Each structure stands twice: as structure tokens, then as C-alpha cells.
């Protein structure tokens, strides 16, 4: 089943689930996740804290890069915030694989509110030989 490893990983991801992040879809090399911004996620400027927007994008990225099966972790990621999000907004993160080479990969994630782009995220992945505490190269 395509995306089985990603779905199993998400089922064990308490951080994403606790924040109300829903895994909407997983396909080979792609994933979509959704989250509603709550009042607890809003910063002192009255907008969604960037860390929560990053976490949503990172969850979609993690599911996309784990859709192939081997345990894959983030080697790094960058985000550009394009527009603010507010309490009550529903955000959707769509992750797409750009390339995989050796044990590495590059994925782009677009976070939207309806048709409006909120953020653009680029993640770099690395397949690890085994997951768990003490595994070198994992976060």
C-alpha cells in the first residue's frame, strides 16, 4: 500500500496530532496535511506563530518523504512566510518531492489558506539505517 510507512509514522506522531494536524492524503512522494489555527497558536501580534506554520509544513514534508518506506528524517529545512494566518483559519500544507538522490531528497511544501499562499517551505531529507535514540544523523 502506497504511503503505509508514512501513515504509520503519523499515527505515532503525538505532537502533530495534539495540535490538531490531520493527515489528509499520502501518495508516493507527496502528502497533504491540514490544521486549524487556534487562539493558543496566535502570537503577540495577533497572527499565527510561525513555529506552528512551520510544524504543519514539516508534518506534510515528513509524510511525503516517508511515503517510500525507509525511515527518513529531516536533514534541514527553510521556510518563507508570505502572508499572515489568523485564529480560526484552516491551513493546508501540500508537500511534493522534487528529487531523491542516494539517501537524500528535496521536498517543497506550500502552505495555503484557501487560495492564498501563507508560506513556502523546502525540506531536505535523509534516509537513516535505523531509527531510535542514539541514531547518528537524526534529530
Amino acid at each position: 500500500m502506497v504511503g503505509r510507512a508514512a501513515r504509520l509514522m503519523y499515527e505515532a506522531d503525538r505532537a502533530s496530532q495534539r495540535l490538531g494536524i490531520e493527515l489528509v492524503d499520502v501518495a508516493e512522494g507527496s502528502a497533504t496535511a491540514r490544521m486549524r489555527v487556534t487562539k493558543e497558536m496566535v502570537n503577540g501580534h495577533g497572527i499565527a506563530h510561525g513555529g506552528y506554520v512551520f510544524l504543519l509544513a514539516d508534518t506534510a514534508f515528513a509524510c511525503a518523504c516517508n511515503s517510500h518506506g525507509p525511515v527518513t528524517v529531516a536533514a534541514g529545512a527553510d521556510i518563507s512566510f508570505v502572508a499572515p494566518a489568523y485564529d480560526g483559519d484552516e491551513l493546508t500544507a501540500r508537500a511534493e518531492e522534487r528529487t531523491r538522490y542516494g539517501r537524500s531528497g528535496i521536498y517543497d511544501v506550500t502552505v495555503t489558506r484557501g487560495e492564498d499562499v501563507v508560506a513556502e517551505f523546502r525540506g531536505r531529507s535523509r534516509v537513516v539505517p535505523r531509527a531510535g535514540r542514539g541514531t547518528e544523523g537524526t534529530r
Side-chain angles (χ1 to χ4, degrees):
M1 175 174 135
V2 174
R4 183 174 187 275
R7 289 183 192 285
L8 289 172
M9 181 204 63
Y10 171 78
E11 288 173 13
D13 183 350
R14 291 185 180 190
S16 294
Q17 291 177 21
R18 181 98 171 160
L19 290 173
I21 295 174
E22 173 192 359
L23 181 57
V24 176
D25 186 49
V26 178
E28 191 168 327
S30 68
T32 302
R34 185 171 39 221
M35 174 184 82
R36 184 163 306 278
V37 177
T38 66
K39 65 182 179 182
E40 292 80 12
M41 298 175 180
V42 174
N43 66 22
H45 297 296
I47 60 177
H49 190 291
Y52 289 108
V53 177
F54 185 98
L55 196 145
L56 172 63
D58 189 50
T59 298
F61 160 60
C63 290
C65 64
N66 278 278
S67 67
H68 298 288
V71 173
T72 306
V73 297
D78 300 296
I79 194 166
S80 295
F81 300 106
V82 176
Y86 302 95
D87 180 16
D89 285 352
E90 184 174 80
L91 303 180
T92 301
R94 290 178 180 84
E96 294 288 335
E97 181 179 280
R98 295 296 170 228
T99 189
R100 284 192 310 153
Y101 52 99
R103 292 178 27 213
S104 300
I106 298 173
Y107 295 76
D108 287 337
V109 184
T110 300
V111 179
T112 57
R113 176 189 54 242
E115 298 298 316
D116 299 327
V117 174
V118 171
E120 292 286 349
F121 171 108
R122 173 158 276 192
R124 296 170 303 283
S125 68
R126 184 79 171 165
V127 173
V128 294
R130 60 181 173 80
R133 265 180 207 258
T135 302
E136 301 218 9
T138 63
R139 53 182 177 163

Short mmCIF file of all heavy atoms in Angstrom, two decimals, residues 54 58 61-62 65-66 71-77 105 121 123-128 137-139:
data_model
loop_
_atom_site.label_atom_id
_atom_site.label_comp_id
_atom_site.label_asym_id
_atom_site.label_seq_id
_atom_site.Cartn_x
_atom_site.Cartn_y
_atom_site.Cartn_z
N PHE A 54 5.36 26.37 10.55
CA PHE A 54 6.50 25.50 10.21
C PHE A 54 6.18 24.06 10.56
O PHE A 54 6.44 23.15 9.77
CB PHE A 54 7.75 25.97 10.96
CG PHE A 54 9.00 25.22 10.58
CD1 PHE A 54 9.88 25.75 9.66
CD2 PHE A 54 9.29 23.99 11.14
CE1 PHE A 54 11.04 25.07 9.30
CE2 PHE A 54 10.44 23.29 10.79
CZ PHE A 54 11.32 23.83 9.86
N ASP A 58 6.24 20.93 8.16
CA ASP A 58 7.18 19.85 8.48
C ASP A 58 6.48 18.50 8.57
O ASP A 58 7.02 17.47 8.17
CB ASP A 58 7.90 20.17 9.79
CG ASP A 58 9.04 19.22 10.09
OD1 ASP A 58 9.89 18.99 9.20
OD2 ASP A 58 9.09 18.70 11.23
N PHE A 61 5.84 17.40 5.02
CA PHE A 61 7.15 17.01 4.49
C PHE A 61 7.54 15.63 5.00
O PHE A 61 7.94 14.75 4.22
CB PHE A 61 8.17 18.08 4.91
CG PHE A 61 9.61 17.66 4.88
CD1 PHE A 61 10.22 17.22 3.71
CD2 PHE A 61 10.38 17.74 6.03
CE1 PHE A 61 11.56 16.86 3.70
CE2 PHE A 61 11.71 17.39 6.02
CZ PHE A 61 12.31 16.95 4.85
N ALA A 62 7.40 15.40 6.30
CA ALA A 62 7.78 14.11 6.89
C ALA A 62 6.97 12.98 6.27
O ALA A 62 7.51 11.90 5.97
CB ALA A 62 7.58 14.15 8.40
N CYS A 65 8.20 12.38 2.55
CA CYS A 65 9.50 11.70 2.39
C CYS A 65 9.50 10.31 3.00
O CYS A 65 10.33 9.48 2.62
CB CYS A 65 10.66 12.56 2.87
SG CYS A 65 10.73 12.98 4.59
N ASN A 66 8.57 10.00 3.88
CA ASN A 66 8.45 8.64 4.41
C ASN A 66 7.47 7.78 3.61
O ASN A 66 7.26 6.62 3.94
CB ASN A 66 8.05 8.68 5.89
CG ASN A 66 9.26 8.92 6.77
OD1 ASN A 66 9.99 7.99 7.07
ND2 ASN A 66 9.48 10.17 7.14
N VAL A 71 12.90 4.55 6.74
CA VAL A 71 12.82 5.62 7.74
C VAL A 71 13.63 6.80 7.25
O VAL A 71 14.82 6.69 6.95
CB VAL A 71 13.32 5.14 9.12
CG1 VAL A 71 13.38 6.30 10.10
CG2 VAL A 71 12.42 4.03 9.64
N THR A 72 12.96 7.95 7.15
CA THR A 72 13.57 9.16 6.61
C THR A 72 13.33 10.31 7.58
O THR A 72 12.24 10.46 8.11
CB THR A 72 12.97 9.50 5.23
OG1 THR A 72 13.09 8.34 4.39
CG2 THR A 72 13.68 10.66 4.58
N VAL A 73 14.37 11.12 7.81
CA VAL A 73 14.28 12.25 8.73
C VAL A 73 14.70 13.53 8.02
O VAL A 73 15.26 13.49 6.92
CB VAL A 73 15.17 12.03 9.98
CG1 VAL A 73 14.69 10.81 10.78
CG2 VAL A 73 16.64 11.88 9.60
N ALA A 74 14.45 14.64 8.66
CA ALA A 74 14.86 15.92 8.11
C ALA A 74 16.35 16.13 8.31
O ALA A 74 16.88 15.91 9.40
CB ALA A 74 14.08 17.06 8.78
N ALA A 75 17.01 16.55 7.24
CA ALA A 75 18.41 16.95 7.33
C ALA A 75 18.49 18.47 7.47
O ALA A 75 19.50 19.01 7.89
CB ALA A 75 19.17 16.49 6.09
N GLY A 76 17.41 19.15 7.12
CA GLY A 76 17.33 20.61 7.23
C GLY A 76 16.09 21.10 6.53
O GLY A 76 15.48 20.37 5.75
N ALA A 77 15.71 22.33 6.85
CA ALA A 77 14.53 22.92 6.22
C ALA A 77 14.57 24.42 6.36
O ALA A 77 15.16 24.96 7.31
CB ALA A 77 13.25 22.37 6.86
N GLY A 105 16.95 13.63 -0.25
CA GLY A 105 15.85 14.10 -1.07
C GLY A 105 15.56 15.57 -0.80
O GLY A 105 15.99 16.11 0.22
N PHE A 121 7.95 26.25 2.04
CA PHE A 121 8.89 25.50 2.86
C PHE A 121 9.68 24.59 1.94
O PHE A 121 9.11 23.98 1.03
CB PHE A 121 8.05 24.70 3.86
CG PHE A 121 8.75 23.67 4.70
CD1 PHE A 121 8.95 23.88 6.06
CD2 PHE A 121 9.12 22.43 4.18
CE1 PHE A 121 9.52 22.90 6.86
CE2 PHE A 121 9.69 21.45 4.97
CZ PHE A 121 9.89 21.69 6.32
N GLY A 123 12.29 21.32 2.36
CA GLY A 123 12.91 20.38 3.28
C GLY A 123 13.89 19.48 2.58
O GLY A 123 13.71 19.12 1.42
N ARG A 124 14.95 19.14 3.31
CA ARG A 124 15.97 18.22 2.81
C ARG A 124 15.92 16.97 3.70
O ARG A 124 15.99 17.07 4.92
CB ARG A 124 17.34 18.88 2.86
CG ARG A 124 17.39 20.09 1.91
CD ARG A 124 18.63 20.95 2.08
NE ARG A 124 18.85 21.49 3.41
CZ ARG A 124 18.21 22.52 3.94
NH1 ARG A 124 17.24 23.13 3.27
NH2 ARG A 124 18.51 22.96 5.14
N SER A 125 15.79 15.81 3.07
CA SER A 125 15.61 14.57 3.82
C SER A 125 16.83 13.67 3.73
O SER A 125 17.66 13.82 2.82
CB SER A 125 14.39 13.81 3.30
OG SER A 125 14.63 13.35 1.99
N ARG A 126 16.88 12.74 4.67
CA ARG A 126 17.95 11.75 4.69
C ARG A 126 17.39 10.43 5.20
O ARG A 126 16.77 10.38 6.27
CB ARG A 126 19.07 12.23 5.61
CG ARG A 126 20.28 11.36 5.65
CD ARG A 126 21.13 11.60 4.44
NE ARG A 126 22.40 10.89 4.60
CZ ARG A 126 23.22 10.68 3.63
NH1 ARG A 126 22.93 11.10 2.42
NH2 ARG A 126 24.33 10.04 3.83
N VAL A 127 17.57 9.37 4.44
CA VAL A 127 17.19 8.03 4.87
C VAL A 127 18.22 7.56 5.90
O VAL A 127 19.42 7.72 5.69
CB VAL A 127 17.13 7.04 3.68
CG1 VAL A 127 16.90 5.61 4.16
CG2 VAL A 127 16.05 7.46 2.70
N VAL A 128 17.73 7.03 7.02
CA VAL A 128 18.63 6.54 8.06
C VAL A 128 18.55 5.02 8.13
O VAL A 128 17.49 4.43 7.87
CB VAL A 128 18.32 7.17 9.44
CG1 VAL A 128 18.60 8.66 9.42
CG2 VAL A 128 16.89 6.92 9.87
N GLY A 137 22.82 11.23 12.92
CA GLY A 137 22.23 11.87 11.77
C GLY A 137 20.74 12.10 11.85
O GLY A 137 20.14 12.54 10.90
N THR A 138 20.13 11.79 12.99
CA THR A 138 18.71 12.05 13.13
C THR A 138 18.52 13.20 14.10
O THR A 138 19.43 13.56 14.84
CB THR A 138 17.95 10.82 13.66
OG1 THR A 138 18.42 10.50 14.96
CG2 THR A 138 18.10 9.64 12.73
N ARG A 139 17.34 13.73 14.10
CA ARG A 139 17.10 14.82 15.03
C ARG A 139 16.38 14.32 16.24
O ARG A 139 15.83 13.31 16.34
CB ARG A 139 16.32 15.94 14.38
CG ARG A 139 15.05 15.47 13.74
CD ARG A 139 14.37 16.62 13.08
NE ARG A 139 13.21 16.04 12.44
CZ ARG A 139 12.22 16.74 12.04
NH1 ARG A 139 12.22 18.01 12.19
NH2 ARG A 139 11.20 16.19 11.46
#
